[in-house]
Amino acid sequence: MSSCALVLPSPPALLRETEGGPPPLLPTTSSAGNGSHPRPERITVIACYRFMTYVDRSPRNPAGQPLIVNDFARKNASTGFVSSTTSLGTSSTYARTTTSIERQPSPYVMRHGRRYLNDPSLHYPLPCDVAEIHRQNLRTVLLTEVFGGPLCAPALAKTAPKKVLEIACGSGFWSSLCHDYFASRGFPDVAFTGLDIAPLAPDLGASGMNWSFVQHDLRRLPLPFRDDEFDLVFVKDMSLVVTAGDLQDQLMDDYLRVLRPGGILEAWECDHTLRSLVPHPVTTTGVSKTDQQRAQRLGVYPLGPSTPCTTPPNDFLQDYNAWLRETLAARHLTPTPCAAMGSLMLQEAEDLVDQGSRRFAILLSDVKWEREGVGGRQPANSASKRRQSRSHASGNAKYAPTEKRTLKPDQVALRRTALLAVVQMMESLEPLLKEASGKGPDEWDRWWSGMMEDLFAKKGTASGECLEVGAWWGRML
């Protein structure tokens, strides 16, 4: 049985959209073009209120606003960032101090209406602002729901680590979820350390966590920790942070260096390019019975070695895939980290034992072949059904006959959340996608508007387009 036993609240009734069409699209200004095109503004997410609970308990500024939804760097003048609303005051000492801070190079730069890290040598293609942090946290909620909790390694099913390191922690949202998970099982004192190049995390210690933050550039090795310091190292969504090749291998070695013997390394990833899931038997070879049952309950599909996927028939998603591959190739980043992560873990098989993985495909909407039964419409007469059943039993059938599937409200909500996560990634990458497309501002706005209408209003993901996610783990010898 999976170690992910976190009990998560049920979706609020108002977020369960089983009828009435997709969420409304409101026009907003494009960050890449000069016109406007529709964006999904309402987050129809199974658990967005969990994140709001996290915001509610975060430290607040003097105006009473949560720091997590403000400019994170504003709380730390040592970063060199000064808000444009900061007053110089009347004190000459204060004025001199502020002026000195303002002369320091800002760690951020504004481009296309978004805030980015001000380091041209970084390959990281995403912004560093509140909207991007919301995107990352939503994806964390989505994966936590699919995996059943914030961890998948079976070794942690009945125990808890003493010290946890979250690599590239961002807002520290995963660490907060994991703290709650362990605290609910009677382990409230687990120590969490977050590491990131930017100081985006609020002071989670104010909410009762044993929390510390280390600002560090992952390109500078070794990591600033002792050998054998942590019981758990958690790595999530690193494929757009670290280039493939030597640095990736060196980081893996350093993860293992800071892990104590018996410690756990766990990594989560999502593929960035999209594929379509092909109708196939419900029972997938190479997938545990527990994952089969969980997938059935959530309306997702476990991915095994023989799970058939193909190029998405949606023209807009084909464009997106092509432009994204070009964009990431120029930065030496991989568009399909789920395919690479297994191999990366196996390279460390001498030191990292008891390895395992879980992979799922989350469809972005209901699909035709589900409504008609997996594998298409079932044979009309019983004799034909018996022949197909015997063929499947002998291994000759292409698809297994199954009952038609009608999605439950929670399953619909999960797929809406996955689609929103995909669109949010497109928004974060929009300036780079526009550049790769070669389109002018007006042409780009027309393409984007057409894409949004197709995905949300015309059910353009009804052919099995999916978001592929995975978790991998191993135990240090």
Side-chain angles (χ1 to χ4, degrees):
M1 184 173 179
S2 168
S3 64
C4 299
L6 180 66
V7 178
L8 299 174
S10 299
L14 61 89
L15 297 180
R16 299 179 180 178
E17 299 186 327
T18 57
E19 57 184 8
L25 303 179
L26 303 179
T28 63
T29 302
S30 167
S31 62
N34 62 356
S36 64
H37 44 243
R39 308 285 185 129
E41 295 295 336
R42 183 154 52 110
I43 300 181
T44 55
V45 53
I46 45 175
C48 67
Y49 69 99
R50 293 180 214 150
F51 173 64
M52 296 313 299
T53 300
Y54 170 68
V55 170
D56 286 342
R57 73 185 184 204
S58 68
R60 295 177 177 268
N61 66 12
Q65 298 170 314
L67 288 176
I68 194 169
V69 296
N70 281 335
D71 202 329
F72 296 94
R74 189 180 302 170
K75 72 184 188 301
N76 186 357
S78 64
T79 64
F81 179 86
V82 176
S83 169
S84 60
T85 60
T86 301
S87 170
L88 293 180
T90 56
S91 165
S92 59
T93 302
Y94 182 80
R96 285 195 300 272
T97 302
T98 305
T99 302
S100 174
I101 291 174
E102 288 180 330
R103 288 200 185 105
Q104 298 178 20
S106 171
Y108 305 107
V109 60
M110 295 298 295
R111 294 197 301 266
H112 314 291
R114 302 291 299 269
R115 193 180 75 172
Y116 292 80
L117 290 171
N118 189 15
D119 185 348
S121 67
L122 282 174
H123 293 268
Y124 187 63
L126 299 175
C128 186
D129 55 17
V130 171
E132 171 59 19
I133 290 166
H134 286 175
R135 182 199 70 80
Q136 295 174 10
N137 290 345
L138 175 63
R139 185 161 291 203
T140 299
V141 168
L142 176 65
L143 267 64
T144 299
E145 188 75 15
V146 170
F147 294 140
L151 287 166
C152 293
L156 297 174
K158 297 181 180 179
T159 186
K162 294 181 179 179
K163 296 188 68 176
V164 178
L165 172 62
E166 182 183 2
I167 300 292
C169 66
S171 68
F173 185 47
W174 176 86
S175 287
S176 178
L177 288 178
C178 203
H179 164 77
D180 291 347
Y181 170 61
F182 285 125
S184 70
R185 296 167 55 205
F187 303 100
D189 300 322
V190 177
F192 289 86
T193 298
L195 180 145
D196 204 292
I197 193 173
L200 303 179
D203 180 14
L204 298 178
S207 64
M209 284 181 61
N210 186 343
W211 165 260
S212 61
F213 174 78
V214 176
Q215 186 173 0
H216 184 78
D217 187 337
L218 288 172
R219 296 173 297 179
R220 294 169 50 204
L221 294 175
L223 298 175
F225 305 110
R226 301 185 305 273
D227 293 359
D228 306 335
E229 184 169 348
F230 296 97
D231 306 285
L232 169 64
V233 174
F234 184 79
V235 185
K236 182 173 69 67
D237 298 332
M238 284 290 290
S239 56
L240 297 184
V241 177
V242 179
T243 56
D246 293 342
L247 178 59
Q248 192 177 49
D249 295 337
Q250 292 166 11
L251 267 173
M252 178 65 76
D253 290 340
D254 223 42
Y255 299 155
L256 301 185
R257 177 186 66 81
V258 301
L259 265 180
R260 69 162 181 82
I264 301 297
L265 173 66
E266 182 159 326
W268 290 9
E269 279 291 356
C270 299
D271 278 350
H272 307 302
T273 50
L274 302 173
R275 298 192 296 174
S276 283
L277 192 64
V278 173
H280 63 285
V282 174
T283 302
T284 303
T285 59
V287 177
S288 70
K289 183 178 180 180
T290 299
D291 277 354
Q292 297 277 2
Q293 293 171 342
R294 180 162 191 82
Q296 186 73 13
R297 185 166 63 253
L298 294 176
V300 301
Y301 288 85
L303 290 172
S306 60
T307 305
C309 293
T310 187
T311 302
N314 186 295
D315 290 339
F316 290 103
L317 295 183
Q318 289 183 24
D319 288 342
Y320 166 72
N321 282 347
W323 299 333
L324 182 59
R325 288 191 188 98
E326 180 180 337
T327 294
L328 298 185
R331 289 162 175 74
H332 307 288
L333 301 170
T334 177
T336 54
C338 289
M341 183 55 67
S343 299
L344 190 63
M345 296 284 285
L346 287 175
Q347 290 177 12
E348 307 295 337
E350 291 185 3
D351 298 318
L352 207 58
V353 298
D354 298 336
Q355 292 192 24
S357 64
R358 303 172 69 193
R359 292 185 61 187
F360 294 96
I362 312 171
L363 295 175
L364 304 182
S365 66
D366 64 326
V367 298
K368 181 179 179 181
W369 48 262
E370 279 185 320
R371 294 192 300 269
E372 297 176 352
V374 175
R377 293 190 180 277
Q378 303 307 309
N381 61 76
S382 58
S384 180
K385 287 183 179 180
R386 286 194 299 272
R387 285 196 301 271
Q388 197 172 75
S389 298
R390 286 195 300 270
S391 178
H392 174 64
S394 64
N396 297 322
K398 186 174 182 180
Y399 308 126
T402 66
E403 297 296 328
K404 299 176 184 178
R405 169 175 283 188
T406 301
L407 297 180
K408 299 177 182 178
D410 288 0
Q411 296 171 338
V412 173
L414 188 73
R415 295 188 184 187
R416 290 286 182 91
T417 304
L419 177 58
L420 181 61
V422 168
V423 172
Q424 285 182 335
M425 175 63 86
M426 292 178 176
E427 289 180 323
S428 290
L429 291 166
E430 184 181 356
L432 299 176
L433 297 173
K434 176 180 176 291
E435 180 182 352
S437 75
K439 297 180 183 295
D442 292 340
E443 188 181 6
W444 175 258
D445 281 346
R446 286 192 296 272
W447 182 90
W448 186 278
S449 297
M451 181 268 295
M452 295 294 287
E453 181 181 10
D454 183 76
L455 296 184
F456 284 93
K458 296 183 178 179
K459 298 186 177 180
T461 57
S463 298
E465 288 83 355
C466 62
L467 174 65
E468 298 177 54
V469 305
W472 296 259
W473 62 87
R475 180 175 59 84
M476 185 68 178
L477 270 179

